[in-house]
Structure formats: structure tokens, C-alpha cells
CSV table of all heavy atoms in Angstrom, one decimal:
chain,number,residue,atom,x,y,z
A,22,ASN,N,-5.7,32.7,-11.9
A,22,ASN,CA,-5.7,31.3,-11.9
A,22,ASN,C,-5.9,30.8,-13.3
A,22,ASN,O,-5.5,31.5,-14.3
A,22,ASN,CB,-6.8,30.8,-10.9
A,22,ASN,CG,-8.1,31.3,-11.1
A,22,ASN,OD1,-8.4,31.9,-12.2
A,22,ASN,ND2,-9.0,31.3,-10.1
A,23,ASN,N,-6.7,29.7,-13.5
A,23,ASN,CA,-7.0,29.2,-14.8
A,23,ASN,C,-7.6,30.3,-15.7
A,23,ASN,O,-7.6,30.0,-16.9
A,23,ASN,CB,-7.8,27.9,-14.7
A,23,ASN,CG,-9.2,28.1,-14.2
A,23,ASN,OD1,-10.1,28.3,-15.0
A,23,ASN,ND2,-9.4,28.0,-12.9
A,24,TRP,N,-8.3,31.3,-15.1
A,24,TRP,CA,-8.8,32.3,-15.9
A,24,TRP,C,-7.9,33.0,-16.9
A,24,TRP,O,-8.4,33.5,-17.9
A,24,TRP,CB,-9.5,33.4,-15.0
A,24,TRP,CG,-10.8,33.1,-14.4
A,24,TRP,CD1,-11.2,31.8,-13.9
A,24,TRP,CD2,-11.8,34.0,-14.1
A,24,TRP,NE1,-12.4,31.9,-13.4
A,24,TRP,CE2,-12.9,33.3,-13.6
A,24,TRP,CE3,-12.2,35.2,-14.4
A,24,TRP,CZ2,-14.1,33.8,-13.1
A,24,TRP,CZ3,-13.2,35.9,-14.0
A,24,TRP,CH2,-14.2,35.0,-13.3
A,25,LYS,N,-6.6,33.0,-16.7
A,25,LYS,CA,-5.6,33.5,-17.6
A,25,LYS,C,-5.8,33.0,-19.0
A,25,LYS,O,-5.6,33.7,-20.0
A,25,LYS,CB,-4.3,33.2,-17.2
A,25,LYS,CG,-3.9,33.8,-15.8
A,25,LYS,CD,-3.8,35.3,-15.8
A,25,LYS,CE,-3.4,35.8,-14.4
A,25,LYS,NZ,-3.3,37.2,-14.3
A,26,PHE,N,-6.3,31.7,-19.1
A,26,PHE,CA,-6.5,31.1,-20.4
A,26,PHE,C,-7.8,31.8,-21.2
A,26,PHE,O,-7.8,31.7,-22.4
A,26,PHE,CB,-6.7,29.6,-20.4
A,26,PHE,CG,-5.3,28.9,-20.6
A,26,PHE,CD1,-4.9,28.1,-19.6
A,26,PHE,CD2,-4.8,28.9,-21.8
A,26,PHE,CE1,-3.7,27.4,-19.6
A,26,PHE,CE2,-3.6,28.2,-22.0
A,26,PHE,CZ,-3.0,27.4,-20.9
A,27,PHE,N,-8.6,32.2,-20.4
A,27,PHE,CA,-9.9,32.9,-21.0
A,27,PHE,C,-9.5,34.0,-21.9
A,27,PHE,O,-10.0,34.3,-23.0
A,27,PHE,CB,-10.9,33.4,-20.0
A,27,PHE,CG,-11.4,32.2,-19.2
A,27,PHE,CD1,-11.8,32.4,-18.0
A,27,PHE,CD2,-11.6,30.9,-19.7
A,27,PHE,CE1,-12.2,31.3,-17.1
A,27,PHE,CE2,-12.0,29.8,-19.0
A,27,PHE,CZ,-12.4,30.0,-17.7
A,28,ARG,N,-8.5,34.8,-21.4
A,28,ARG,CA,-7.9,35.9,-22.2
A,28,ARG,C,-7.4,35.5,-23.5
A,28,ARG,O,-7.5,36.1,-24.6
A,28,ARG,CB,-6.8,36.7,-21.3
A,28,ARG,CG,-5.9,37.5,-22.1
A,28,ARG,CD,-6.5,38.8,-22.7
A,28,ARG,NE,-5.6,39.4,-23.6
A,28,ARG,CZ,-4.8,40.5,-23.4
A,28,ARG,NH1,-4.8,41.0,-22.2
A,28,ARG,NH2,-4.1,40.9,-24.3
A,29,LEU,N,-6.7,34.4,-23.5
A,29,LEU,CA,-6.0,33.9,-24.7
A,29,LEU,C,-7.0,33.4,-25.7
A,29,LEU,O,-7.0,33.4,-26.9
A,29,LEU,CB,-5.1,32.7,-24.4
A,29,LEU,CG,-3.9,33.0,-23.4
A,29,LEU,CD1,-3.0,31.8,-23.3
A,29,LEU,CD2,-3.2,34.2,-23.8
A,30,MET,N,-8.1,32.8,-25.1
A,30,MET,CA,-9.3,32.2,-26.0
A,30,MET,C,-9.9,33.5,-26.7
A,30,MET,O,-10.3,33.5,-27.9
A,30,MET,CB,-10.2,31.5,-25.3
A,30,MET,CG,-9.7,30.2,-24.7
A,30,MET,SD,-9.3,29.0,-26.1
A,30,MET,CE,-7.5,29.1,-25.9
A,31,ILE,N,-10.1,34.5,-25.9
A,31,ILE,CA,-10.8,35.7,-26.5
A,31,ILE,C,-9.9,36.3,-27.6
A,31,ILE,O,-10.3,36.7,-28.6
A,31,ILE,CB,-11.1,36.7,-25.3
A,31,ILE,CG1,-12.1,36.2,-24.4
A,31,ILE,CG2,-11.5,38.1,-26.0
A,31,ILE,CD1,-12.1,37.0,-23.2
A,32,ASP,N,-8.6,36.3,-27.3
A,32,ASP,CA,-7.7,36.9,-28.3
A,32,ASP,C,-7.7,36.0,-29.6
A,32,ASP,O,-7.6,36.6,-30.7
A,32,ASP,CB,-6.2,36.9,-27.7
A,32,ASP,CG,-5.9,38.0,-26.8
A,32,ASP,OD1,-6.7,39.0,-26.7
A,32,ASP,OD2,-4.8,38.0,-26.1
A,33,LEU,N,-7.8,34.8,-29.6
A,33,LEU,CA,-7.9,33.9,-30.8
A,33,LEU,C,-9.1,34.4,-31.6
A,33,LEU,O,-9.0,34.5,-32.8
A,33,LEU,CB,-8.1,32.5,-30.4
A,33,LEU,CG,-6.8,31.8,-29.8
A,33,LEU,CD1,-7.1,30.3,-29.6
A,33,LEU,CD2,-5.6,31.9,-30.7
A,34,GLY,N,-10.2,34.7,-31.0
A,34,GLY,CA,-11.4,35.1,-31.7
A,34,GLY,C,-11.2,36.5,-32.2
A,34,GLY,O,-11.6,36.8,-33.4
A,35,LEU,N,-10.7,37.5,-31.5
A,35,LEU,CA,-10.5,38.9,-31.9
A,35,LEU,C,-9.5,38.8,-33.1
A,35,LEU,O,-9.7,39.6,-34.1
A,35,LEU,CB,-10.0,39.6,-30.8
A,35,LEU,CG,-11.1,40.1,-29.7
A,35,LEU,CD1,-10.4,40.7,-28.6
A,35,LEU,CD2,-12.1,41.1,-30.4
A,36,GLU,N,-8.5,38.0,-33.0
A,36,GLU,CA,-7.6,38.0,-34.1
A,36,GLU,C,-8.1,37.5,-35.4
A,36,GLU,O,-7.9,38.1,-36.5
A,36,GLU,CB,-6.3,37.2,-33.7
A,36,GLU,CG,-5.2,37.0,-34.8
A,36,GLU,CD,-4.1,36.1,-34.4
A,36,GLU,OE1,-4.5,34.9,-33.8
A,36,GLU,OE2,-3.0,36.3,-34.7
A,37,GLU,N,-9.0,36.5,-35.2
A,37,GLU,CA,-9.7,35.9,-36.5
A,37,GLU,C,-10.5,37.0,-37.2
A,37,GLU,O,-10.7,36.9,-38.4
A,37,GLU,CB,-10.5,34.7,-36.0
A,37,GLU,CG,-11.3,34.1,-37.2
A,37,GLU,CD,-10.3,33.4,-38.2
A,37,GLU,OE1,-9.2,33.0,-37.8
A,37,GLU,OE2,-10.7,33.2,-39.2
A,38,ILE,N,-11.2,37.8,-36.4
A,38,ILE,CA,-12.1,38.8,-37.0
A,38,ILE,C,-11.6,40.1,-37.2
A,38,ILE,O,-12.3,41.1,-37.6
A,38,ILE,CB,-13.5,38.9,-36.1
A,38,ILE,CG1,-13.2,39.4,-34.7
A,38,ILE,CG2,-14.2,37.5,-36.1
A,38,ILE,CD1,-14.4,39.6,-33.9
A,39,GLY,N,-10.2,40.2,-37.0
A,39,GLY,CA,-9.6,41.4,-37.5
A,39,GLY,C,-9.4,42.5,-36.6
A,39,GLY,O,-9.1,43.7,-37.0
A,40,PHE,N,-9.7,42.3,-35.3
A,40,PHE,CA,-9.5,43.4,-34.3
A,40,PHE,C,-8.0,43.5,-33.7
A,40,PHE,O,-7.3,42.4,-33.8
A,40,PHE,CB,-10.5,43.2,-33.2
A,40,PHE,CG,-11.8,43.7,-33.5
A,40,PHE,CD1,-12.6,42.9,-34.4
A,40,PHE,CD2,-12.3,44.9,-33.1
A,40,PHE,CE1,-14.0,43.3,-34.7
A,40,PHE,CE2,-13.6,45.3,-33.4
A,40,PHE,CZ,-14.4,44.5,-34.3
A,41,ALA,N,-7.6,44.7,-33.4
A,41,ALA,CA,-6.3,44.9,-33.0
A,41,ALA,C,-5.8,44.0,-31.8
A,41,ALA,O,-6.5,44.1,-30.9
A,41,ALA,CB,-6.1,46.4,-32.7
A,42,PRO,N,-4.7,43.4,-32.0
A,42,PRO,CA,-4.1,42.6,-30.9
A,42,PRO,C,-3.5,43.4,-29.8
A,42,PRO,O,-3.1,44.6,-30.1
A,42,PRO,CB,-3.2,41.7,-31.6
A,42,PRO,CG,-2.7,42.4,-32.8
A,42,PRO,CD,-3.8,43.3,-33.2
A,43,ASP,N,-3.4,42.8,-28.6
A,43,ASP,CA,-2.7,43.5,-27.5
A,43,ASP,C,-1.6,42.4,-27.3
A,43,ASP,O,-1.6,41.6,-26.4
A,43,ASP,CB,-3.5,43.6,-26.3
A,43,ASP,CG,-2.7,44.1,-25.1
A,43,ASP,OD1,-1.6,44.5,-25.2
A,43,ASP,OD2,-3.3,44.0,-24.0
A,44,ALA,N,-0.5,42.5,-28.1
A,44,ALA,CA,0.5,41.4,-28.1
A,44,ALA,C,1.2,41.5,-26.6
A,44,ALA,O,1.5,40.3,-26.2
A,44,ALA,CB,1.6,41.8,-29.2
A,45,ALA,N,1.4,42.5,-26.1
A,45,ALA,CA,2.2,42.6,-24.9
A,45,ALA,C,1.3,41.9,-23.7
A,45,ALA,O,1.9,41.2,-22.9
A,45,ALA,CB,2.5,44.1,-24.3
A,46,GLY,N,0.0,42.3,-23.6
A,46,GLY,CA,-0.8,41.7,-22.7
A,46,GLY,C,-1.0,40.2,-22.9
A,46,GLY,O,-0.9,39.4,-21.9
A,47,HIS,N,-1.0,39.8,-24.1
A,47,HIS,CA,-1.1,38.4,-24.5
A,47,HIS,C,0.1,37.6,-24.0
A,47,HIS,O,0.0,36.6,-23.3
A,47,HIS,CB,-1.2,38.2,-25.9
A,47,HIS,CG,-1.6,36.8,-26.4
A,47,HIS,ND1,-2.9,36.5,-26.8
A,47,HIS,CD2,-0.8,35.7,-26.7
A,47,HIS,CE1,-2.9,35.2,-27.1
A,47,HIS,NE2,-1.7,34.7,-27.1
A,48,GLU,N,1.3,38.2,-24.3
A,48,GLU,CA,2.5,37.5,-23.7
A,48,GLU,C,2.6,37.4,-22.2
A,48,GLU,O,3.1,36.5,-21.6
A,48,GLU,CB,3.8,38.3,-24.3
A,48,GLU,CG,3.9,38.2,-25.9
A,48,GLU,CD,4.2,36.7,-26.3
A,48,GLU,OE1,4.8,35.9,-25.5
A,48,GLU,OE2,3.7,36.5,-27.4
A,49,ASN,N,2.2,38.5,-21.6
A,49,ASN,CA,2.2,38.6,-20.2
A,49,ASN,C,1.4,37.4,-19.5
A,49,ASN,O,1.7,36.8,-18.7
A,49,ASN,CB,1.7,39.9,-19.6
A,49,ASN,CG,2.7,41.0,-19.8
A,49,ASN,OD1,3.9,40.8,-19.9
A,49,ASN,ND2,2.3,42.2,-19.7
A,50,TYR,N,0.2,37.2,-20.1
A,50,TYR,CA,-0.7,36.2,-19.7
A,50,TYR,C,-0.1,34.8,-19.9
A,50,TYR,O,-0.2,33.8,-19.1
A,50,TYR,CB,-2.0,36.3,-20.3
A,50,TYR,CG,-3.0,37.2,-19.4
A,50,TYR,CD1,-2.5,38.4,-18.9
A,50,TYR,CD2,-4.2,36.7,-19.1
A,50,TYR,CE1,-3.3,39.2,-18.2
A,50,TYR,CE2,-5.0,37.5,-18.3
A,50,TYR,CZ,-4.6,38.8,-17.9
A,50,TYR,OH,-5.4,39.6,-17.1
A,51,LEU,N,0.6,34.6,-21.0
A,51,LEU,CA,1.3,33.3,-21.3
A,51,LEU,C,2.3,33.1,-20.3
A,51,LEU,O,2.6,32.0,-19.7
A,51,LEU,CB,1.9,33.3,-22.7
A,51,LEU,CG,1.1,33.0,-23.9
A,51,LEU,CD1,1.7,33.3,-25.2
A,51,LEU,CD2,0.6,31.5,-23.9
A,52,ALA,N,3.0,34.1,-19.9
A,52,ALA,CA,4.1,34.1,-18.9
A,52,ALA,C,3.6,33.6,-17.4
A,52,ALA,O,4.1,32.9,-16.7
A,52,ALA,CB,5.0,35.3,-18.8
A,53,GLU,N,2.4,34.3,-17.2
A,53,GLU,CA,1.8,34.0,-15.9
A,53,GLU,C,1.2,32.6,-15.8
A,53,GLU,O,1.2,31.9,-14.8
A,53,GLU,CB,0.7,35.0,-15.7
A,53,GLU,CG,1.3,36.5,-15.3
A,53,GLU,CD,0.1,37.5,-15.3
A,53,GLU,OE1,-1.0,37.3,-15.6
A,53,GLU,OE2,0.6,38.7,-15.2
A,54,ILE,N,0.7,32.1,-17.0
A,54,ILE,CA,0.3,30.6,-17.0
A,54,ILE,C,1.6,29.7,-16.7
A,54,ILE,O,1.4,28.8,-16.0
A,54,ILE,CB,-0.4,30.3,-18.3
A,54,ILE,CG1,-1.8,31.1,-18.3
A,54,ILE,CG2,-0.6,28.9,-18.5
A,54,ILE,CD1,-2.4,31.1,-19.7
A,55,ASP,N,2.6,30.1,-17.4
A,55,ASP,CA,3.9,29.4,-17.2
A,55,ASP,C,4.3,29.2,-15.7
A,55,ASP,O,4.8,28.2,-15.2
A,55,ASP,CB,5.0,29.9,-18.0
A,55,ASP,CG,5.0,29.6,-19.5
A,55,ASP,OD1,4.1,28.7,-19.9
A,55,ASP,OD2,5.7,30.4,-20.2
A,56,ALA,N,4.0,30.4,-15.0
A,56,ALA,CA,4.4,30.4,-13.6
A,56,ALA,C,3.6,29.5,-12.7
A,56,ALA,O,4.0,29.1,-11.6
A,56,ALA,CB,4.3,31.8,-13.1
């Protein structure tokens, strides 16, 4: 549900502090939000 956005917010923080992104998982969650 709306929790999918929490993953994206966490990713924004991890990217800022230099931790490895999970690009595929991020894109999947964007697609699920679109649905």
C-alpha cells in the first residue's frame, strides 16, 4: 500500500550517505506505486 513510498524515502537517505543502491528494487517499487 502507501508503505511502498517508505522504501523510496529510505533509498534517498542511503544514496545521500554513500551506501550502495538497489536500483532494481527501487524501480519495482516505483512501478507498484504507479499501479
Side-chain angles (χ1 to χ4, degrees):
N22 53 19
N23 69 88
W24 281 37
K25 300 290 185 182
F26 266 115
F27 300 145
R28 158 68 191 260
L29 304 187
M30 294 294 104
I31 294 168
D32 279 349
L33 290 181
L35 285 170
E36 180 184 37
E37 179 67 27
I38 59 177
F40 281 75
D43 173 14
H47 192 97
E48 292 297 330
N49 286 341
Y50 271 47
L51 279 169
E53 289 168 1
I54 290 167
D55 284 344

